[in-house]
Amino acid sequence: KQEVTQIPAALSVPEGENLVLNCSFTDSAIYNLQWFRQDPGKGLTSLLLIQSSQREQTSGRLNASLDKSSGRSTLYIAASQPGDSATYLCAVSPRSTGNQFYFGTGTSLTVIP
Amino acid sequence: DVKVTQSSRYLVKRTGEKVFLECVQDMDHENMFWYRQDPGLGLRLIYFSYDVKMKEKGDIPEGYSVSREKKERFSLILESASTNQTSMYLCASRRGGGVYEQYFGPGTRLTVT
């Protein structure tokens, strides 16, 4: 079974800092990896989807990379803002299970004004 | 924009009651999912459906059933609610047949007393 780990569990940074969130997974045979944002008590908002054939995806200040061979993905946030404060989750869809996604437990980010 | 809606944001039920959680998506997606989210455990898949009247068990189906009579609607049923089913329930949908993003609803916070 695919295991997904996100370290650290929590992170605090001053406004304006660039930061990197990490996601690691145990089975490198994946269809895709998706990064989400979750605000307290709310649902998940999709940020970026990386297909297995891709190395990275970018959207605005966000850049996600994928290294399947090492079982790792990173989410880079440039020039962080207080509005970026949320929990960030990654989810992996293994080839062995098709539609099923496995989630990490997330990194709780606080950006201090 | 894809919209996934859930019938209730907050729900309080008594032990032994039958509980229905409903999810509707408006983008003609083939795949729909029900997850529960608990602190420290992350999101865990309960059931998913890849077509009308089709369903597959996820990692934690015990105590739950599902129904998908129409493509846009996916219902989660707790046959006899128990206190250990107190959780945040999240519905998601995704286009089928390829590598596509999952889209989530706002969640239902269920408390069983």
Side-chain angles (χ1 to χ4, degrees), chain B:
Chain B
D1 275 355
V2 175
K3 191 165 185 181
V4 181
T5 57
Q6 294 183 228
S7 49
S8 305
R9 290 299 313 277
Y10 301 94
L11 210 51
V12 180
K13 295 292 182 181
R14 293 195 181 276
T15 302
E17 280 192 80
K18 191 168 186 176
V19 181
F20 293 86
L21 303 182
E22 295 217 314
C23 175
V24 178
Q25 50 93 4
D26 67 357
M27 284 300 292
D28 204 36
H29 285 172
E30 289 79 13
N31 299 335
M32 295 187 74
F33 307 82
W34 275 107
Y35 295 90
R36 63 177 283 176
Q37 185 177 29
D38 300 288
L41 297 176
L43 273 82
R44 293 177 292 166
L45 182 65
I46 304 171
Y47 269 97
F48 71 93
S49 169
Y50 49 91
D51 204 346
V52 174
K53 296 189 187 294
M54 307 302 286
K55 62 186 179 185
E56 292 231 3
K57 294 179 180 179
D59 293 322
I60 51 165
E62 297 79 20
Y64 303 94
S65 62
V66 291
S67 172
R68 192 166 180 203
E69 297 296 319
K70 293 185 177 181
K71 192 174 186 180
E72 68 271 17
R73 189 180 298 268
F74 191 34
S75 300
L76 180 69
I77 304 153
L78 287 65
E79 296 290 342
S80 177
S82 64
T83 55
N84 63 13
Q85 293 178 310
T86 292
S87 186
M88 171 70 109
Y89 289 87
L90 292 160
C91 174
S93 75
R94 191 177 74 124
R95 185 176 166 188
V99 179
Y100 300 107
E101 294 174 78
Q102 277 191 103
Y103 295 91
F104 279 80
T108 296
R109 171 72 64 182
L110 172 67
T111 302
V112 183
T113 62

Side-chain angles (χ1 to χ4, degrees), chain A residues 21-34:
Chain A
L21 305 180
N22 298 296
C23 173
S24 61
F25 46 95
T26 52
D27 183 354
S28 62
I30 64 171
Y31 273 125
N32 58 63
L33 184 146
Q34 192 170 357

Side-chain angles (χ1 to χ4, degrees), chain A residues 5 13 63 78 101:
Chain A
T5 304
V13 300
N63 176 277
F101 281 77

Side-chain angles (χ1 to χ4, degrees), chain A residues 5-13 17-24 33 35-38 47-48 50 61-66 72-78 80 84-90 106-111:
Chain A
T5 304
Q6 292 184 249
I7 295 173
L11 182 64
S12 287
V13 300
E17 193 163 297
N18 302 326
L19 61 103
V20 174
L21 305 180
N22 298 296
C23 173
S24 61
L33 184 146
W35 281 95
F36 295 88
R37 168 191 173 130
Q38 186 176 32
L47 297 174
L48 290 164
I50 309 178
R61 295 183 293 110
L62 305 179
N63 176 277
S65 68
L66 175 63
R72 299 173 77 170
S73 176
T74 62
L75 179 67
Y76 174 83
I77 303 177
S80 59
D84 294 330
S85 297
T87 296
Y88 291 81
L89 298 108
C90 69
T107 294
S108 177
L109 173 67
T110 302
V111 180

